[in-house]
Amino acid sequence: VGFASVAGPASAANTTCTNADFVFMGVGRTQTVASGASVFYKVRVVAGRSYSVATWAPAHDAGQGTANLNHEFYANSTCTIAAMTVSNDDTEPRLVLDAHNGDNDSIIPNFTGTMYIRVTNGGAAAVAATTTFQESTIFSPWFFVGGAYNAFIELKNTTEFTIAV
């Protein structure tokens, strides 16, 4: 199954929080970030869930200078209020290699709504940075052995809305 691309009206560059581009969960976004510059993205989060945000420069090599990318998280569209999180830790897999410093954070926000991500290039050269946003909350069926193997599936509403079943 392919996806169609539709040309729309030109929009402002996502170089300010107000003009942040939407990043859909599980989809990577690649764009060039100038040395010392930042780009901004916005994502939908739900309080208490776990998310992973990763930014790296997959096509950048040491001959182009060191890639040095970093994330910051905000709870408002002017990027003046830091996003309050239960956790905001650098985690595996590490994106730090020879002449490459990417950033990978696990985040558990304590609010539901729009979270803004600022990606900054602290390196001496422009880089084509790829940013991904994924949910990492674990929902799984469980089983036990009690004379025989029994499996149980637990249904859970993972939305913020009440759903009648």
Side-chain angles (χ1 to χ4, degrees), residues 41-63:
Y41 301 108
K42 57 187 171 186
V43 295
R44 175 80 176 162
V45 296
V46 175
R49 295 211 189 142
S50 173
Y51 301 93
S52 174
V53 180
T55 300
W56 70 102
H60 196 79
D61 63 48

Side-chain angles (χ1 to χ4, degrees), residues 18-36:
T18 304
N19 294 327
D21 285 349
F22 178 63
V23 172
F24 189 69
M25 197 174 314
V27 177
R29 172 69 193 268
T30 300
Q31 73 181 102
T32 300
V33 184
S35 173

Side-chain angles (χ1 to χ4, degrees), residues 100-115:
H100 185 280
N101 182 20
D103 198 4
N104 186 21
D105 294 302
S106 289
I107 299 164
I108 303 174
N110 64 2
F111 67 96
T112 295
T114 303
M115 183 174 72

